Amino acid sequence: MSTNSIMTIENLQAKIGDKEILKGLNLQLEAGKVHAIMGPNGAGKSTLSKTLVGHYDVTVTGGDIFYKGKSIKEMEAEERALEGIFLSFQHPVEIPGVNNAYFLRSALNAKRKHEGKEELNAAEFLRLMRGHLEMLGMKSDMISRSLNEGFSGGEKKRNEILQMLILEPEVIILDEIDSGLDIDALRAVSEGINKMKDGKRSFLVITHYSRILDYIKPDYIHVLKDGRIIKTAGPELVAQLEEHGYDTIEEE
Amino acid sequence: MKLSTLKNIQFEEMATLLHVKGREQLLEKFCSLGLPDKKSEAYRYFDVEKLFESDYTVTPALPGAIGIGKKVVIIDGVVSTAPKGLRIYYKECESADMEHFDPMYFLGHLLSPVIIKIEVDGDAELEIEHHFTKSNSLVPYRIVLHNQANRHATIYESFIADDIENTLVLYGYDMHVAQDSTLRVVKMHSMPDSRYAMIASHKVNVAKQANALIKSFDLGGGQALQLMKIELDTYAHVDAAHLLYLNKDSKRGTVSQMIHKGEHSTSKQEAKNILDGKARGIFDALIKVEHSAKYSKAEQNSKAILLHKEAYMAAKPQLEIYIDELEASHGATTGQLSEKQLFYLQSRGISYTEARKILVIAFANTLIETVKDTRQQEQIKAAFEEVFYTTHQRG
Ligand SMILES: Nc1ncnc2c1ncn2[C@@H]1O[C@H](COP(=O)(O)OP(=O)(O)OP(=O)(O)O)[C@@H](O)[C@H]1O
Ligand SMILES: [Mg+2]
């Protein structure tokens, strides 16, 4: 195990319902690095991200996940979040009737409380929000609306990034944050991600396209196929994948 | 007096037992409908018989002087204070709806030799606070309420009980919503425990082109049923919304008849029910569109969320229609909180309990936010949280 590893996934096996999806997956996330995961549809990328945050769909049947040296396999989702693991969902859920600002502040205050810090009141919170909204090109009415309700695909993704910016997590998993984004949104979202880079945080970026990788410069490319990481290489692998697809990749 | 002694008895004996002189029509009507039991349509989901077994002291409301205060305060059926200038006085009952479906409507009238009459002037905003201070009592009283034509009045109703037990409140309104007016009634009935039970039996007449907005927020435990018969004249509009949030072994809810009499009358009735513990929610609501009510529009909907496997929702939306020229829809659903939504909140560090609270309030919010007054809104939300935290550990 590398001493610089913030998260280590060892021989992870997981199923959804009766279907085995992760079949002995190994991966190390290094502190301060950007890891990209690419792989064919249905390979298990979203399942991996759900497993890392303790989603109820997924049953872990073998292996383990270590975060900062401790197993988190048995940890509740909310605890994982409070400890600094964040997933930007491929399909963020809509929650009518829950005001977005109220939700964001509840999440931030839960985290601050966990860290023994003062909770923020509504005014302090809004002050904090202003800069983030501007950077993400979000109109301020986005946070007075119901959480994700009627948001366009791009707006939902920006709202996910907004949550990341507020919560300042340490392991950031982005599941297809780039799909469905227009050029401006992609740039804004990438800027948000780059802003979070501080040499300590680790990113796991799941994507099908090289476009976002031009902006956020991955350190490693991992290929996930049929429930396992079958190849790890540097950023140069992206071009090869784009040209030849996944079929030519040989398991290492 | 045990109300069960009124079961299956004839006119003469009834008059004697109830100490009623005259009022033959009311007596006859009550005798013919009979004291309700668990087989009665309107009471089939409500444990009414148990309430009739207690031996209550019946305290007739003796009218006294009315002091001046910010609100109308009614203590055990007697008006204690009222705002200056409000036309409020006692009167002998002049008219009851002899076609009302609820036997307890007639019993309430029979046990109330005088009624409280309120005439709301202009665009008033009036608060009515009901207090109950006596244990082991049957508290009957009735209110007749009129508003003014072309005006927009609002009434906020709330209930407070001392540390009492085993009391049955039997009250209700006869409301007359005047032509071209709007009357908005917001009832906030929070019963943290079962100090008293309530049967509230109302009649609402909505005149031509009038709007009646009837919102009820029934929260907590205990046994309470509101029964309402609403009649709509030509171009009248009713917007009724009922929020139930019950816990423990509470049984509460609404039994209603929305009767379209005039052409082009419209009604919308929405019930949202959140049931925890072993609670039972009731929404037994009939829409009736008469021959005379062509081009009417009626909408009715009930949604329930069960927070516990032993909770139960009795939702019975019904349509009774005598014409073709109308639009009507009704539906009822029962479900649980969305696991997906819960997880989304938890994945952001929000605890399971808080996440549930957020979703429960979100479900109710669409109704709570229809209450325009923000202070009233805050009170409803606070009562809501109180109910929530009596059943769920604060996170
Ligand atoms: N809730 C579920 N019930 C049943 N099968 C599921 C469920 N979720 C995922 N699967 C299956 O598990 C497999 C892996 O799905 P997953 O979403 O992890 O793929 P992915 O790599 O993220 O694909 P994509 O690139 O299309 O997003 C697929 O075959 C999918 O159909
Ligand atoms: Mg996926």
Side-chain angles (χ1 to χ4, degrees):
Chain A
M1 196 185 296
S2 140
T3 47
N4 232 350
S5 158
I6 185 165
M7 186 178 268
T8 303
I9 302 163
E10 272 181 14
N11 191 28
L12 188 63
Q13 294 151 52
K15 44 182 202 176
I16 292 183
D18 289 334
K19 190 172 171 180
E20 250 180 84
I21 298 167
L22 302 183
K23 303 169 181 169
L25 185 144
N26 293 295
L27 181 65
Q28 277 197 19
L29 300 184
E30 286 180 28
K33 302 288 184 197
V34 177
H35 297 254
I37 290 193
M38 303 183 82
N41 293 129
K45 302 181 297 299
S46 292
T47 304
L48 171 63
S49 68
K50 283 173 162 180
T51 311
L52 298 181
V53 296
H55 194 280
Y56 58 89
D57 266 355
V58 183
T59 316
V60 174
T61 52
D64 212 335
I65 307 161
F66 298 94
Y67 172 61
K68 294 182 179 172
K70 277 191 295 191
S71 169
I72 57 166
K73 212 167 65 173
E74 305 294 333
M75 233 189 225
E76 296 293 338
E78 65 210 59
E79 221 182 314
R80 298 187 200 201
L82 292 171
E83 290 294 326
I85 302 173
F86 177 89
L87 168 62
S88 160
F89 288 89
Q90 184 173 357
H91 304 289
V93 55
E94 301 194 2
I95 313 190
V98 174
N99 173 271
N100 197 15
Y102 177 80
F103 157 70
L104 294 166
R105 187 156 67 92
S106 301
L108 175 59
N109 280 338
K111 171 116 201 226
R112 290 180 68 94
K113 200 170 149 193
H114 181 74
E115 291 168 349
K117 294 184 190 155
E118 289 270 313
E119 296 185 21
L120 296 187
N121 65 32
E124 291 165 333
F125 176 73
L126 285 177
R127 216 169 303 134
L128 172 79
M129 295 294 291
R130 218 164 282 147
H132 294 324
L133 289 174
E134 199 175 315
M135 185 185 74
L136 291 172
M138 288 172 80
K139 287 190 223 96
S140 56
D141 85 302
M142 299 287 303
I143 60 165
S144 55
R145 281 164 62 179
S146 279
L147 174 52
N148 290 332
E149 190 189 22
F151 283 24
S152 74
E155 286 168 344
K156 281 183 186 158
K157 294 298 168 77
R158 288 181 211 229
N159 203 41
E160 294 289 289
I161 293 300
L162 179 62
Q163 292 166 48
M164 172 195 77
L165 289 171
I166 292 170
L167 296 174
E168 303 180 328
E170 289 169 74
V171 167
I172 295 165
I173 307 156
L174 304 163
D175 191 356
E176 297 200 20
I177 190 69
D178 52 339
S179 34
L181 293 189
D182 65 30
I183 298 157
D184 290 336
L186 184 68
R187 197 174 295 132
V189 159
S190 303
E191 199 184 320
I193 296 167
N194 286 333
K195 202 179 154 196
M196 292 299 280
K197 288 189 188 166
D198 66 347
K200 282 182 250 143
R201 293 194 174 99
S202 175
F203 296 81
L204 184 61
V205 185
I206 297 169
T207 183
H208 289 295
Y209 309 104
S210 60
R211 234 174 22 152
I212 190 168
L213 301 178
D214 294 340
Y215 287 104
I216 56 176
K217 307 272 181 253
D219 299 289
Y220 300 100
I221 309 291
H222 309 276
V223 177
L224 199 165
K225 204 175 159 187
D226 196 22
R228 281 182 302 166
I229 301 290
I230 58 161
K231 189 178 179 69
T232 293
E236 69 285 350
L237 182 62
V238 180
Q240 191 192 328
L241 290 172
E242 291 231 305
E243 198 167 334
H244 304 291
Y246 297 109
D247 285 344
T248 60
I249 302 289
E250 295 286 319
E251 188 160 353
E252 288 168 339
Chain B
M1 170 189 197
K2 280 189 188 176
L3 288 176
S4 57
T5 55
L6 302 178
K7 199 152 183 66
N8 297 324
I9 58 171
Q10 295 310 307
F11 189 91
E12 299 297 325
E13 202 181 340
M14 188 71 88
T16 316
L17 277 174
L18 294 178
H19 309 287
V20 172
K21 287 190 209 71
R23 315 184 82 186
E24 284 89 2
Q25 262 191 312
L26 280 174
L27 259 175
E28 250 166 49
K29 191 70 198 190
F30 180 58
C31 288
S32 73
L33 289 173
L35 192 73
D37 56 27
K38 59 172 176 280
K39 283 186 227 120
S40 317
E41 273 279 303
Y43 289 86
R44 56 192 155 159
Y45 301 111
F46 188 67
D47 260 346
V48 74
E49 286 172 20
K50 220 167 74 201
L51 299 175
F52 295 162
E53 287 306 324
S54 286
D55 198 359
Y56 299 114
T57 310
V58 188
T59 9
L62 290 176
I66 299 173
I68 289 184
K70 277 218 302 254
K71 317 169 178 176
V72 174
V73 175
I74 302 175
I75 302 175
D76 301 320
V78 179
V79 183
S80 150
T81 62
K84 204 172 162 187
L86 177 70
R87 284 193 284 163
I88 177 167
Y89 46 93
Y90 294 94
K91 234 181 147 341
E92 273 185 28
C93 175
E94 53 208 353
S95 66
D97 173 13
M98 295 312 293
E99 304 299 321
H100 205 290
F101 66 92
D102 177 21
M104 298 305 277
Y105 173 85
F106 296 101
L107 184 61
H109 271 283
L110 286 165
L111 291 171
S112 313
V114 291
I115 49 131
I116 301 163
K117 186 157 178 178
I118 302 175
E119 293 179 56
V120 184
D121 277 337
D123 301 332
E125 231 179 60
L126 187 63
E127 281 185 60
I128 301 179
E129 209 171 79
H130 304 259
H131 290 244
F132 309 113
T133 67
K134 290 180 186 146
S135 291
N136 306 309
S137 295
L138 176 65
V139 185
Y141 60 105
R142 296 216 47 98
I143 303 166
V144 172
L145 193 139
H146 289 264
N147 70 340
Q148 279 185 321
N150 293 305
R151 297 303 194 129
H152 307 284
T154 304
I155 291 173
Y156 291 105
E157 220 190 355
S158 60
F159 303 82
I160 296 170
D162 289 354
D163 194 6
I164 57 171
E165 54 178 23
N166 193 40
T167 278
L168 173 62
V169 176
L170 177 57
Y171 97 112
Y173 285 94
D174 287 274
M175 273 187 201
H176 301 272
V177 187
Q179 190 164 334
D180 297 301
S181 75
T182 299
L183 182 65
R184 180 188 281 273
V185 183
V186 179
K187 184 194 87 169
M188 160 61 185
H189 191 186
S190 179
M191 280 207 289
D193 39 41
S194 42
R195 297 174 185 193
Y196 62 98
M198 177 180 284
I199 296 174
S201 195
H202 308 300
K203 171 66 195 296
V204 184
N205 292 312
V206 190
K208 292 191 173 68
Q209 284 112 242
N211 280 308
L213 304 155
I214 300 165
K215 321 259 159 174
S216 59
F217 297 87
D218 290 306
L219 309 175
Q223 316 289 309
L225 195 63
Q226 60 175 357
L227 304 103
M228 42 178 79
K229 179 180 170 189
I230 304 171
E231 283 183 350
L232 296 89
D233 206 334
T234 311
Y235 283 106
H237 176 69
V238 172
D239 189 344
H242 315 290
L243 182 72
L244 265 190
Y245 181 15
L246 308 182
N247 58 16
K248 299 176 197 158
D249 52 4
S250 175
K251 285 192 184 64
R252 291 171 66 177
T254 301
V255 175
S256 66
Q257 292 193 353
M258 186 79 70
I259 303 177
H260 290 255
K261 291 190 119 91
E263 289 186 359
H264 298 283
S265 51
T266 54
S267 70
K268 190 173 155 227
Q269 189 175 23
E270 189 182 6
K272 285 205 170 178
N273 315 283
I274 303 150
L275 302 160
D276 208 338
K278 295 179 181 170
R280 176 189 295 176
I282 301 166
F283 179 64
D284 193 347
L286 170 74
I287 300 172
K288 191 168 166 184
V289 182
E290 300 196 341
H291 293 286
S292 51
K294 278 184 192 160
Y295 320 116
S296 286
K297 213 170 138 181
E299 242 181 273
Q300 188 191 64
N301 190 282
S302 165
K303 287 200 180 84
I305 284 187
L306 308 182
L307 297 180
H308 195 277
K309 58 183 185 308
E310 288 182 273
Y312 177 71
M313 180 67 208
K316 284 280 173 299
Q318 300 154 71
L319 278 174
E320 194 180 309
I321 289 170
Y322 296 95
I323 50 166
D324 297 328
E325 302 90 339
L326 88 166
E327 275 178 60
S329 68
H330 69 165
T333 58
T334 298
Q336 270 109 41
L337 290 179
S338 152
E339 216 173 358
K340 237 180 159 161
Q341 294 181 342
L342 268 174
F343 183 78
Y344 189 77
L345 299 177
Q346 287 175 270
S347 79
R348 299 306 183 234
I350 296 171
S351 72
Y352 178 69
T353 308
E354 285 304 301
R356 271 165 71 102
K357 190 192 85 183
I358 288 174
L359 293 183
V360 164
I361 291 183
F363 175 73
N365 237 349
T366 51
L367 293 193
I368 296 175
E369 279 169 1
T370 62
V371 177
K372 293 277 159 9
D373 185 292
T374 47
R375 191 172 57 96
Q376 297 286 343
Q377 234 187 62
E378 288 311 314
Q379 273 175 19
I380 294 168
K381 283 189 185 163
F384 216 93
E385 293 214 350
E386 196 182 315
V387 179
F388 184 84
Y389 286 121
T390 56
T391 8
H392 303 274
Q393 208 78 54
R394 208 174 269 269

